[in-house]
């Protein structure tokens, strides 16, 4: 995938012109996470932004993200003191939890450095999963094979670690996608259904758009108050939302999250995902029943739609 290229490796290897310009590279990872979680961590833009940079010295900036067959992703890999590396990816095949295929073009300062065909094959169970990535590389510049090897090795290690702290919840809601989206993105409606059964929301500020925020308290049935702050990083109408969860207003980051919406025979498949900041926070959340509570939240959304209909839109 586009961001799993290491510009540091390319520049170091460029001094060795003996390296071949054509290569087939294979990377394999066994991941301690369910297959459905691994697929979401691989494909969801909010999750990929977490694990995509191969090393701390590389900053990855996503300029364009359109997932699925025919979609395109463009990103910049930035290293201080070096020219930016532009990576363009186009999706050619997309079989959820089975396979993705994309082309990839890497360039620097307007000059193409390499092209590649990247095939990712997935297998696994509800407990563990496996990923095999095959890169068919054609280099137009020396040293690209080394950059790809280093970048994919590091990126897939990051992916495996991120998947171990990722939670994915899904529900098929019996309502059109437009209705579900409008209910989610209506500032009057969202606080009425958000949260597990018995919880309520008290809003301080709400602005549901890219670079907007929602500052609110979740109030438990026993009166316990849980301060929340959502920062919206992406709002793609009727397709997906990306946001950051903070512990209270401007507090420490709790998770990088997303919600996606897919048509399913007149109904809507909603996926709610979260990459927790640490594995310890993920385990703690699982321990107090975050999966069950999150599914309750999606159940409240469906009940709200059924009782209010398009009045919430």
């Amino acid at each position: 995938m586009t961001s799993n290229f290491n510009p540091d490796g390319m520049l170091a290897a460029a001094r060795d012109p003996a390296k071949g310009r054509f290569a087939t590279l294979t990377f394999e990872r066994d991941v301690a996470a369910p297959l459905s979680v691994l697929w979401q961590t691989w494909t969801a833009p909010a999750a990929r932004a977490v694990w995509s940079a191969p090393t701390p010295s590389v900053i990855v900036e996503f300029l364009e993200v359109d997932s699925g067959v025919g979609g395109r992703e463009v990103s910049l890999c930035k290293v201080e003191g070096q020219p930016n590396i532009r990576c363009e990816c186009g999706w050619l095949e997309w079989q959820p939890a089975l396979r993705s295929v994309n082309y990839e073009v890497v360039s620097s300062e307007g000059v193409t450095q390499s092209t590649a065909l990247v095939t990712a094959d997935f297998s696994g169970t509800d407990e563990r999963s496996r990923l095999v990535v095959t890169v068919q590389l054609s280099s137009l510049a020396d040293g690209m094979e080394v950059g790809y090897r280093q970048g994919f090795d590091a990126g897939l290690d990051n992916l495996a670690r991120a998947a171990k702290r990722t939670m994915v919840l899904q529900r098929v809601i019996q309502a059109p996608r437009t209705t579900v989206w409008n209910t989610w993105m209506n500032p009057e409606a969202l606080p009425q259904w958000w949260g597990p059964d018995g919880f309520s929301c008290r809003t301080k500020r709400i602005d549901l758009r890219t670079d907007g925020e929602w500052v609110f308290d979740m109030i438990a049935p026993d009166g316990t108050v849980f301060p929340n702050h959502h920062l919206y990083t992406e709002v793609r109408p009727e397709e997906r939302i990306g946001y950051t969860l903070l512990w209270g207003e401007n507090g420490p980051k709790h998770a990088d999250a997303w919600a996606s919406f897919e048509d399913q025979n007149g109904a809507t498949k909603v996926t709610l995902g979260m990459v927790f900041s640490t594995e310890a926070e993920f385990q703690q959340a699982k321990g107090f029943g975050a999966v069950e509570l999150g599914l309750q939240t999606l159940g409240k959304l469906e009940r709200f739609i059924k009782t209010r209909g398009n009045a919430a839109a």
Side-chain angles (χ1 to χ4, degrees):
M1 299 178 74
T2 59
S3 52
N4 286 337
F5 172 77
N6 186 4
D8 286 332
M10 182 193 77
L11 293 171
R15 306 185 187 97
D16 183 4
K19 292 293 184 182
R21 293 176 183 258
F22 303 94
T24 298
L25 314 176
T26 301
F27 307 88
E28 302 180 15
R29 292 295 186 278
D30 291 308
V31 182
L35 176 58
S36 59
V37 170
L38 177 61
W39 172 259
Q40 287 289 324
T41 311
W42 174 261
T43 58
R48 296 185 343 95
V50 172
W51 61 263
S52 58
T55 67
S57 66
V58 179
I59 296 174
V60 177
E61 178 185 354
F62 289 91
L63 306 179
E64 180 180 335
V65 180
D66 187 3
S67 302
V69 173
R72 188 177 80 145
E73 175 184 287
V74 179
S75 63
L76 293 178
C77 294
K78 301 179 178 182
V79 177
E80 187 175 357
Q82 298 178 7
N84 292 341
I85 302 295
R86 183 183 187 274
C87 302
E88 177 183 329
C89 157
W91 298 105
L92 305 173
E93 184 177 351
W94 186 276
Q95 299 183 52
L98 289 175
R99 171 178 286 192
S100 72
V101 180
N102 65 273
Y103 72 78
E104 183 168 296
V105 179
V106 173
S107 60
S108 178
E109 299 183 312
V111 178
T112 300
Q113 304 294 310
S114 67
T115 62
L117 185 69
V118 180
T119 302
D121 290 300
F122 298 78
S123 60
T125 66
D126 289 339
E127 298 295 330
R128 297 189 65 88
S129 50
R130 181 172 176 78
L131 172 63
V132 179
V133 178
T134 303
V135 180
Q136 295 167 276
L137 175 64
S138 175
S139 304
L140 301 177
D142 293 327
M144 295 298 290
E145 180 181 344
V146 173
Y148 265 83
R149 287 190 183 278
Q150 293 181 354
F152 268 86
D153 269 333
L156 293 181
D157 285 344
N158 292 343
L159 168 70
R161 287 190 289 267
K164 289 173 62 177
R165 62 181 195 271
T166 296
M167 184 176 296
V168 175
L169 311 172
Q170 294 182 318
R171 185 182 180 100
V172 176
I173 295 177
Q174 298 303 314
R177 182 166 63 166
T178 297
T179 299
V180 176
W181 173 265
N182 287 339
T183 305
W184 195 296
M185 296 304 291
N186 184 314
E188 298 295 328
L190 177 60
Q192 295 185 56
W193 61 263
W194 183 264
D197 293 343
F199 281 68
S200 61
C201 293
R202 182 172 56 208
T203 295
K204 181 177 180 181
R205 295 192 306 276
I206 187 167
D207 183 8
L208 303 178
R209 60 180 176 83
T210 301
D211 296 326
E213 64 179 349
W214 183 22
V215 182
F216 65 103
D217 293 328
M218 286 185 61
I219 304 172
D222 65 1
T224 303
V225 175
F226 298 94
N228 281 261
H229 190 177
H230 292 183
L231 296 173
Y232 295 94
T233 56
E234 181 186 36
V235 175
R236 192 178 180 95
E238 299 195 17
E239 184 176 335
R240 66 176 179 264
I241 305 161
Y243 58 104
T244 302
L245 280 68
L246 305 182
W247 287 112
E249 185 170 1
N250 299 316
K253 183 167 75 172
H254 180 43
D256 294 282
W258 69 93
S260 64
F261 306 81
E262 303 172 62
D263 287 321
Q264 194 164 92
N265 299 320
T268 305
K269 182 179 180 180
V270 177
T271 299
L272 183 60
M274 290 160 281
V275 183
F276 289 83
S277 295
T278 65
E279 191 173 349
E281 287 184 88
F282 169 72
Q283 294 297 339
Q284 183 180 24
K286 283 185 62 178
F288 70 67
V291 172
E292 295 78 8
L293 296 174
L295 291 173
Q296 287 179 18
T297 298
L298 296 180
K300 282 176 66 179
L301 168 61
E302 183 163 31
R303 291 195 300 273
F304 185 88
I305 290 171
K306 287 181 177 178
T307 55
R308 304 296 180 90
N310 288 320

